[in-house]
Amino acid sequence: MILAKENAMIKQLNEKCSRSILVYSDAIMLVEFRFKKGGVGEAHKHADHEQVGYIAKGSFELTVGDEKRIVCAGDSYYAARNVLHGVVALEDDSVIIDTFTPKRDDFLL
């Protein structure tokens, strides 16, 4: 399956964050998150999903488990099942590309 960006499923989550589902199968999902400065990806954990993220643009304060650091374009992270993780955008137009396995059915609602 090949999907063009203009066909992405985009959802405005709040005034500072949006989510675009880029492509997925039952086993995996690729998602782009866009943030304005101060936008928050609330700390949360997944019982059924593993997550790998890539900072495509901008910078964030990232927390994964007990580790907190500033990450910027080119950095990446892994959040295992049941590990608390979240971000705060430090710049406008900051972008994270996340991969989830298996796909996030809740994102498709």
Side-chain angles (χ1 to χ4, degrees):
M1 174 189 320
I2 300 172
L3 291 179
K5 183 163 175 92
E6 61 267 13
N7 295 326
M9 297 169 54
I10 301 171
K11 181 173 184 178
Q12 192 68 39
L13 301 174
N14 57 50
E15 68 281 351
K16 293 191 176 186
C17 182
S18 67
R19 174 181 71 217
S20 300
I21 298 172
L22 302 176
V23 68
Y24 65 93
S25 72
D26 287 339
I28 195 165
M29 176 180 270
L30 187 65
V31 180
E32 176 186 80
F33 290 93
R34 290 190 165 271
F35 294 85
K36 293 180 181 175
K37 183 176 182 177
V40 175
E42 294 291 337
H44 63 284
K45 57 186 172 180
H46 315 270
D48 299 323
H49 301 93
E50 292 180 85
Q51 178 177 344
V52 173
Y54 174 76
I55 310 306
K57 186 175 181 186
S59 61
F60 296 86
E61 179 183 87
L62 169 68
T63 302
V64 178
D66 295 332
E67 189 177 2
K68 182 186 285 190
R69 66 173 59 176
I70 304 301
V71 293
C72 58
D75 291 337
S76 56
Y77 63 93
Y78 168 68
R81 288 177 173 91
N82 294 310
V83 173
L84 195 65
H85 57 285
V87 298
V88 177
L90 302 177
E91 302 175 41
D92 276 335
D93 202 25
S94 290
V95 179
I96 296 177
I97 305 296
D98 277 329
T99 301
F100 298 93
T101 185
K103 80 173 186 291
R104 295 283 307 265
D105 288 323
D106 57 317
F107 283 5
L108 300 172
L109 303 176

